[in-house]
Amino acid sequence: MNELKILLSGAAIAASLVSCGNNVSDKSAHVAQSNHADSMLYMFTGSYSEADKEGIGVYIFNQDDASYHRLGGMSGVSNPSYLIPYGKDIYSVGEDEGQTSTLNHLTFAPADSTGMLNLCESLPTGGGAPCFINVSPDGRFVLTANYFGGNITIGRRDTSGTLQANPVVISFPPASHPTETGGEPRLHSVNFTPDGSRLIAADLGTDRLHIFPLIAGADSLVNPADVTRLEMHSGMGPRHMDFSADGRFAYVLGELSGEIAVLSLADNCVKQYIQADTVGGHGSADIHLSPDGRYLYASNRLKNDGIAIFSVDSVSGKLTEAGYQTTGIHPRNFAITPNGKWLLAACRDSDAIEIYARDLSSGQLSPTGRTISVSRPVCVRFAVPAN
């Protein structure tokens, strides 16, 4: 996801302090020095929470053995349900439904191995319920998908990471056919193709993907009028997507139909629809490829909560059912460690992030019985330290 790398100094975790507002973190936790610094990841969690409650957590996660240690967390953002680490910066949504919806900039400084988060600024998104956030490939823009706004927000980011005032808001037209949302646009993710040439916004409400070519080096990321609208399967409700490493295919998950569409990016043509939700839960949520690209995973909620597993044909991109792993309640989001050994599922209504072992050969998941206790977790993100 175009994340910059947070640095490790030898075996100890270190970075420069950034003064950018009041420190609102828990500074009491300390991380023991490790002889295996390359196995250590920073892990950030987002949740549904009131602004005066801790909504973002920071951990050290060892991707060799799935051990972890909590560094701290912070309050100050209402419903920080989705976030993205980008170097020393963290960008988070504030998923309120109305005018209080925000795009938030935080900084992270693990001074003396102690997690520190600072809230720098919050900007109104101009659209309700921002539920996804991303950073452009060149690092100059931060975007949110606004579910109740039916729009996306594009904020300008300067070289210090600061967000500039008055972000651009791009709204979308209603559907041309009846949908489960009454035809109203419901934007649920903003995604960049691996080659950095296109922005794809998934519109759950209109069963469309809105595809924009990026404007390289310009003051604007995209031209709102220069858009291709790709109609997906009626009733699909496209929500999230992931891309093959070679950039040939996008895997689009439909929340409402529970289908995955295998989309050829060369011609914007769907090559396959396959069911991730086979029991009619109508609550499919998140989708990710394994780091080696051999397996695809998709989470389902509301019925038979769990994660569907598919093998991926490396030539055609097509999917074959490979298994299913039940999880806790409402796995809205999940993440796979960079080494592929572990999958962590944020199960909102179980108040837990569940840790699953992943077989690198078969792609199958196995419960470890280990969980991280978090109130209403809905996002897990890793940042890979640099050598």
Side-chain angles (χ1 to χ4, degrees):
M1 299 290 291
N2 304 304
E3 298 162 8
L4 296 183
K5 293 181 176 181
I6 298 173
L7 300 180
L8 286 182
S9 176
I13 302 165
S16 298
L17 283 173
V18 179
S19 177
C20 192
N22 294 325
N23 174 29
V24 290
S25 70
D26 174 2
K27 298 170 62 178
S28 63
H30 294 271
V31 178
Q33 294 198 6
S34 170
N35 293 323
H36 305 284
D38 58 351
S39 69
M40 297 300 183
L41 306 171
Y42 286 116
M43 185 176 78
F44 301 90
T45 62
S47 63
Y48 285 121
S49 68
E50 297 174 358
D52 61 353
K53 303 257 187 338
E54 182 180 299
I56 298 176
V58 187
Y59 299 78
I60 291 293
F61 187 88
N62 186 324
Q63 64 174 334
D64 281 346
D65 60 12
S67 61
Y68 64 89
H69 191 98
R70 184 180 183 275
L71 290 178
M74 65 162 285
S75 58
V77 177
S78 176
N79 294 316
S81 63
Y82 204 86
L83 54 83
I84 183 170
Y86 196 91
K88 65 176 175 53
D89 301 301
I90 308 291
Y91 297 98
S92 169
V93 302
E95 194 181 337
D96 292 347
E97 293 188 3
Q99 296 301 312
T100 57
S101 299
T102 54
L103 163 59
N104 304 281
H105 170 217
L106 302 83
T107 56
F108 171 61
D112 300 323
S113 302
T114 302
M116 180 183 291
L117 290 170
N118 295 293
L119 178 60
C120 295
E121 65 254 357
S122 297
L123 301 179
T125 58
C131 53
F132 194 96
I133 195 163
N134 210 341
V135 179
S136 64
D138 60 10
R140 296 188 302 133
F141 300 91
V142 182
L143 297 81
T144 67
N146 308 316
Y147 186 81
F148 284 126
N151 50 31
I152 63 174
T153 302
I154 304 176
R156 186 68 181 267
R157 176 183 182 272
D158 68 20
T159 55
S160 72
T162 300
L163 296 172
Q164 304 302 299
N166 303 313
V168 172
V169 178
I170 300 177
S171 297
F172 298 94
S176 57
H177 62 278
T179 71
E180 293 196 25
T181 66
E184 292 299 313
R186 296 284 186 261
L187 274 293
H188 217 300
S189 65
V190 279
N191 313 272
F192 295 97
T193 55
D195 64 1
S197 68
R198 285 174 283 179
L199 165 67
I200 305 179
D203 190 341
L204 181 151
T206 67
D207 297 320
R208 290 173 178 150
L209 301 180
H210 307 286
I211 305 175
F212 299 87
L214 301 188
I215 306 173
D219 289 337
S220 299
L221 180 66
V222 298
N223 176 357
D226 187 8
V227 58
T228 298
R229 305 198 195 281
L230 180 60
E231 301 284 344
M232 304 300 288
H233 181 63
S234 180
M236 181 184 182
R239 177 184 170 99
H240 284 188
M241 67 184 68
D242 201 358
F243 299 92
S244 61
D246 61 11
R248 293 191 300 137
F249 302 104
Y251 296 91
V252 184
L253 179 63
E255 175 176 336
L256 303 180
S257 71
E259 295 169 297
I260 299 171
V262 181
L263 175 66
S264 168
L265 292 173
D267 54 10
N268 290 338
C269 180
V270 175
K271 302 299 184 183
Q272 180 189 22
Y273 283 105
I274 189 170
Q275 288 294 141
D277 168 19
T278 60
V279 297
H282 307 293
S284 297
D286 202 14
I287 186 167
H288 295 288
L289 285 157
S290 60
D292 62 8
R294 296 175 57 207
Y295 293 95
L296 182 76
Y297 301 82
S299 65
N300 299 299
R301 306 164 294 172
L302 307 183
K303 286 184 180 180
N304 193 32
D305 290 14
I307 296 176
I309 307 167
F310 300 88
S311 62
V312 181
D313 186 290
S314 61
V315 177
S316 69
K318 291 187 176 181
L319 305 176
T320 302
E321 294 179 18
Y324 197 90
Q325 175 60 54
T326 57
T327 65
I329 306 170
H330 209 91
R332 181 180 172 95
N333 172 256
F334 65 93
I336 302 171
T337 54
N339 66 2
K341 291 179 63 175
W342 312 98
L343 183 149
L344 279 68
C347 299
R348 187 193 70 183
D349 295 351
S350 293
D351 293 327
I353 296 172
E354 298 180 339
I355 302 174
Y356 293 87
R358 180 178 167 272
D359 187 289
L360 300 182
S361 177
S362 69
Q364 297 304 302
L365 302 175
S366 301
T368 65
R370 285 179 282 175
T371 63
I372 303 172
S373 179
V374 179
S375 176
R376 306 190 74 202
V378 287
C379 185
V380 180
R381 302 301 297 268
F382 293 113
V384 181
N387 294 323

